Amino acid sequence: MLPIEGTDTTTSRSGLMRKGIVIMAQPGAEELAVLAEDLGFSSFWVYDTPVLHADPFVTLALCAKVTSRVRLGIGVTSPALRSVPAAAAAFASLNALAPGRVICGVGTGNTARRALGLLPGTTAELESFTAALQGLCAGHTVEHQSRAVRLLHPGGAVNTADPVEFAVAALGPKAAAVAGRRGAGLISIGLPDPAAWHALHRVSGDGDSYLMVPLHVLEEDEDPYGAAARDATGHLALSFLTFAADTPAFAAGLSPEQRQAVQTLLVRRATTSDTPDRHLALYPGYLARIAPADRDLVLPSLIDALALVGTHDDLVARIAALEEAGVDEVVIQPVVDPPAEMARFAKLIA
């Protein structure tokens, strides 16, 4: 699926760090979207995992009706979830409700597919999907299943005049290179390491870069690995362990302490790494606030690797280093007390 007509979707960096929020699609999300806009957040994202979360397009359509400035992003859809025409129609329909405010995150469908007990798509499929989706959302004709396809909606039903921003989910150079070839930005989750971002940007091009990361501002003398920090960051730590439990080859490369945490998780979920339907036990509650009984699995090594935890001054310095590495926007997922967490984050990036 390659475009018959090309489109330029490159965006330019502003040079100033922005702030965003990502949540699970759910009823009432529009209230947080309004708060995000009031607090000066640049973007409001929802995940796209059909068997775990509510429909992202329904959620963002509601958000579009009550906001006017904040950009609305889906992080991320994939060829493993939706056909090109269906995805293009959904994004173009959302763009009609929020003209020029839509961000289309695309990826291989790692979580969405694994939650079905299936493997994610390939990088080649991701690139083909992205190219065709860019073309359709810009009103162009593309090739799909050996046929010429274009959005044929009557006036007003979709918006292909205002640009849809594209960003590719990447943790390594292959997906980052897709972003570079397609003139798209980058999304990476749980990658607060400036050196890793420098490496991604060597192949990714000039599109905007979004870091989705847990964040916790420590109070004076607060333990950086205490219950509050574990509650604020545990959703990503547990998702990391879930992936490892589902992928023995990945788990084999972890530290002994992390491998033991994976085994403990499997026991608690009453499954094994080779049970065919293990996804039914592993993925409920994925990326949601963790249960107190699972706090012990949020290891200090996982907090250090996957999250931003520190005092106000520590976090300001770390965010400055990420900005220097080319990150344009830090996007947090508040899971404990979203309004309070959003307000604290707003003070970090004024």
Side-chain angles (χ1 to χ4, degrees):
M1 295 176 294
L2 295 175
I4 294 175
E5 304 171 36
T7 179
D8 179 10
T9 59
T10 303
T11 56
S12 60
R13 293 200 171 101
S14 67
L16 297 174
M17 181 65 81
R18 305 187 305 259
K19 54 185 175 288
I21 174 178
V22 60
I23 67 168
M24 295 182 291
Q26 56 191 293
E30 62 271 25
E31 297 173 8
L32 287 180
V34 170
L35 178 60
E37 187 164 270
D38 290 344
L39 289 172
F41 281 63
S42 295
S43 65
F44 184 89
W45 300 73
V46 293
Y47 298 121
D48 187 8
T49 309
V51 299
L52 295 179
H53 309 137
D55 185 84
F57 293 100
V58 171
T59 298
L60 290 187
L62 293 172
C63 295
K65 300 298 287 183
V66 295
T67 59
S68 61
R69 298 183 306 278
V70 70
R71 293 172 300 151
L72 304 174
I74 289 184
V76 296
T77 196
S78 80
L81 287 178
R82 306 176 190 277
S83 71
V84 166
F91 280 102
S93 297
L94 184 60
N95 201 26
L97 298 176
R101 293 197 286 136
V102 176
I103 312 172
C104 172
V106 288
T108 58
N110 187 52
T111 299
R113 290 277 290 179
R114 291 186 186 279
L116 297 170
L118 302 170
L119 293 177
T122 66
T123 303
E125 291 169 338
L126 169 63
E127 183 160 8
S128 178
F129 177 79
T130 303
L133 194 53
Q134 286 175 313
L136 286 176
C137 286
H140 298 156
T141 300
V142 306
E143 182 182 313
H144 175 64
Q145 297 183 359
S146 302
R147 293 291 187 270
V149 175
R150 185 173 64 249
L151 295 182
L152 303 174
H153 301 72
V158 298
N159 177 6
T160 59
D162 293 295
V164 172
E165 180 183 349
F166 283 81
V168 175
L171 287 172
K174 289 184 178 180
V178 171
R181 288 191 294 269
R182 295 308 316 157
L186 283 179
I187 305 171
S188 200
I189 186 168
L191 194 68
D193 177 9
W197 279 98
H198 280 296
L200 292 179
H201 285 138
R202 282 196 285 269
V203 295
S204 67
D206 296 325
D208 278 7
S209 294
Y210 299 88
L211 167 61
M212 293 184 174
V213 64
L215 182 142
H216 179 64
V217 184
L218 295 172
E219 302 290 346
E220 186 176 357
D221 298 326
E222 182 184 346
D223 182 356
Y225 307 119
R230 292 180 189 232
D231 285 347
T233 63
H235 58 287
L236 193 57
L238 265 290
S239 75
F240 177 94
L241 295 177
T242 296
F243 175 76
D246 197 21
T247 316
F250 176 78
L254 302 181
S255 70
E257 183 185 35
Q258 292 169 350
R259 290 198 300 272
Q260 181 57 54
V262 170
Q263 291 306 310
T264 301
L265 178 67
L266 286 165
V267 170
R268 290 182 186 175
R269 302 300 186 262
T271 190
T272 69
S273 289
D274 57 3
T275 299
D277 61 355
R278 60 188 179 275
H279 57 287
L280 298 177
L282 287 173
Y283 284 93
Y286 190 88
L287 287 176
R289 181 179 178 177
I290 64 167
D294 286 331
R295 283 179 182 149
D296 61 314
L297 298 179
V298 186
L299 305 175
S301 62
L302 296 180
I303 293 176
D304 291 342
L306 301 173
L308 291 173
V309 174
T311 65
H312 181 280
D313 290 345
D314 291 338
L315 293 175
V316 168
R318 292 187 68 182
I319 289 170
L322 288 163
E323 183 177 355
E324 179 64 26
V327 175
D328 296 286
E329 189 162 326
V330 173
V331 180
I332 67 163
Q333 181 188 348
V335 295
V336 178
D337 183 348
E341 291 172 79
M342 291 167 65
R344 285 193 292 270
F345 183 43
K347 293 179 181 179
L348 285 175
I349 304 179

